Amino acid sequence: MHRTIGSLLVANRGEIAVRIIRAARELGLRTVAIFSEEDRVARHRFTAHESYLVGAGRAPIEAYLDLDDVIRVARRARVDAIHPGYGFLAAKPELAAACAEAGIAFVGPRAEVLRALGDKLAARALAQTVGVPVLPATGPLPRDHAQAKDLAAAIGYPLMVKASRGGGGRGLRVVESAAELSELIETARREARAAFGRATSRSRSWATSTETWSICSSAIARFSGGIRSSSSGRRRRP
C-alpha cells in the first residue's frame, strides 16, 4: 500500500544529511534533522525546517546510533518517514522494524531484507547459494594476525579489508602488501566500531565494476579491475 509522505526525518549528520534535506525540501516536504550535543551548531541542523537533540549525554557517534531516541524524536515531530542516509543506522534491520511498528515509513529495504543483506558476510553466503559469482574472500578475520596473513596470502594482493556492516567506505582499507595488513586490519576495526557499533572484519579481493556490492566484514578480497561507482569506491579512489 502506498502512502503520501509530507514530512521526513533524516537520521544522519553532516553533508549526507544536508543533501537529503535539500532534496526533500525541493519536493515540498517538511524536513526534520537530528543532532548530537557536539553537532549543535552543525549545518545540517539548520538546513532542515526543524531539528531535535538525539542521544543526550552520549558520544558523537553513539548519539546517532541511539535507535530508541531516533524513534522518540520521529514520534514527537510527527513525521511520516525516516531516511537513514548511509552508515549509522542505515543497514540495521532494527530501525526498519521500529519504523514499521511505529507506523512510520522507512526509506529503504524492509527489515527482513536488511537481515539477509545488511551483514555482508551473510549476503555473500546468500549470493553463493543462488549461484551469483563472488570474488575470493575470507570469513570473519581472526584476531591472530599470523592467521590473517595466511588467509590474505591465499587470496593475493592487493586486497581489501572491509567491515561486515555499514557503508560509506568506513571500515574499509585497501592493502597493497603483507607488511601493511596487521595495521590496516586494526584501523578498519576501530573505524567500524566507531561508526557502526561493531568491528567484525573480513578480507576479499578488490572490487570490479560488475560485482555485487554486498560482500565483506573485515575480510580480504583480491584486486581484479576497475572500481564500482559507489561511496566506498569514491572514498578510496586515488
Side-chain angles (χ1 to χ4, degrees):
M1 184 177 90
H2 298 286
R3 69 172 77 181
T4 300
I5 295 176
S7 54
L8 180 73
L9 182 147
V10 180
N12 216 295
R13 67 179 295 277
E15 185 63 25
I16 301 165
V18 167
R19 293 183 181 186
I20 297 168
I21 291 167
R22 284 176 174 169
R25 292 185 67 135
E26 288 177 5
L27 293 171
L29 305 184
R30 176 173 65 90
T31 55
V32 177
I34 57 173
F35 62 94
S36 67
E37 291 176 340
E38 285 75 9
D39 279 345
R40 59 188 176 276
V41 295
R43 183 169 58 136
H44 76 274
R45 177 187 177 187
F46 300 102
T47 305
H49 292 97
E50 305 170 29
S51 62
Y52 297 85
L53 175 67
V54 72
R58 290 177 175 263
I61 300 300
E62 291 178 356
Y64 294 98
L65 294 172
D66 191 338
L67 173 59
D68 291 339
D69 215 26
V70 170
I71 295 298
R72 176 193 64 80
V73 169
R75 284 177 165 148
R76 176 183 174 186
R78 299 180 179 276
V79 297
D80 299 317
I82 292 178
H83 193 310
Y86 68 79
F88 293 121
L89 295 170
K92 289 187 176 291
E94 294 84 0
L95 176 58
C99 285
E101 184 178 348
I104 299 169
F106 176 67
V107 182
R110 298 187 305 276
E112 56 267 30
V113 174
L114 287 172
R115 289 189 185 99
L117 299 178
D119 185 305
K120 296 172 183 66
L121 290 170
R124 186 176 192 274
L126 178 61
Q128 288 178 302
T129 64
V130 297
V132 175
V134 296
L135 294 171
T138 70
L141 290 178
R143 287 289 174 182
D144 185 287
H145 286 175
Q147 293 179 24
K149 286 183 178 180
D150 288 341
L151 292 171
I155 291 175
Y157 293 91
L159 53 82
M160 176 165 43
V161 173
K162 194 176 190 305
S164 62
R165 283 191 175 271
R170 293 176 174 82
L172 182 156
R173 289 294 184 274
V174 176
V175 185
E176 301 288 347
S177 68
E180 302 177 322
L181 183 64
S182 296
E183 179 182 354
L184 292 180
I185 286 174
E186 294 307 316
T187 300
R189 282 174 170 156
R190 286 193 299 271
E191 191 171 72
R193 185 181 296 109
F196 313 124
R198 59 180 289 183
T200 306
S201 294
R202 76 187 271 263
S203 59
R204 65 167 180 138
S205 44
W206 190 222
T208 71
S209 59
T210 57
E211 82 172 297
T212 300
W213 194 246
S214 291
I215 304 246
C216 322
S217 156
S218 272
I220 301 166
R222 186 178 173 186
F223 181 79
S224 53
I227 299 174
R228 178 186 185 275
S229 179
S230 70
S231 55
S232 297
R234 287 193 297 271
R235 283 168 60 87
R236 303 303 168 195
R237 185 174 295 149

